[in-house]
Amino acid sequence: MIRLAPIAASLTLAMLTPATAQSAAHFVATPIEAPTRASFVTQNTLWKCAGNVCVAPKAPTKDKVMCERAVQRLGALSAFTVAGTPFDAQALAACNARAK
């Protein structure tokens, strides 16, 4: 049974789709242009990208700051969500003002 554990773990990781990654993430950034990297780090937070969506786990950083850090790496965003709640148009515009 122990020999099967690595196989089961790899199958579980292979089943991680953008939709399931979004549901497991605290922060979800949707850049206007598709990301060129599969992952990146802002401060101490690892972001993982699949398709046109990047996700990150909960971090002890303010939501506004997390958005600004994502924008600095990804460029302008079409959406930014925190724990399932999207930024409103005004908050997203303020965040996008920090785009590279």
Side-chain angles (χ1 to χ4, degrees):
M1 187 68 170
I2 293 174
R3 293 180 191 180
L4 296 178
I7 295 171
S10 65
L11 287 174
T12 302
L13 290 174
M15 293 170 51
L16 186 65
T17 65
T20 57
Q22 278 185 14
S23 65
H26 187 75
F27 298 102
V28 180
T30 307
I32 292 173
E33 294 184 22
T36 57
R37 295 181 173 175
S39 64
F40 62 93
V41 176
T42 58
Q43 194 88 18
N44 294 321
T45 304
L46 175 63
W47 289 79
K48 294 185 179 184
C49 303
N52 66 335
V53 175
C54 298
V55 298
K58 189 172 182 176
T61 306
K62 291 183 179 184
D63 300 342
K64 173 187 170 205
V65 174
M66 287 298 288
C67 183
E68 290 171 354
R69 288 179 180 164
V71 161
Q72 289 170 349
R73 297 290 184 133
L74 296 168
L77 303 177
S78 62
F80 188 78
T81 304
V82 180
T85 304
F87 268 27
D88 62 27
Q90 185 178 4
L92 186 61
C95 178
N96 278 332
R98 298 284 196 157
K100 55 183 177 178

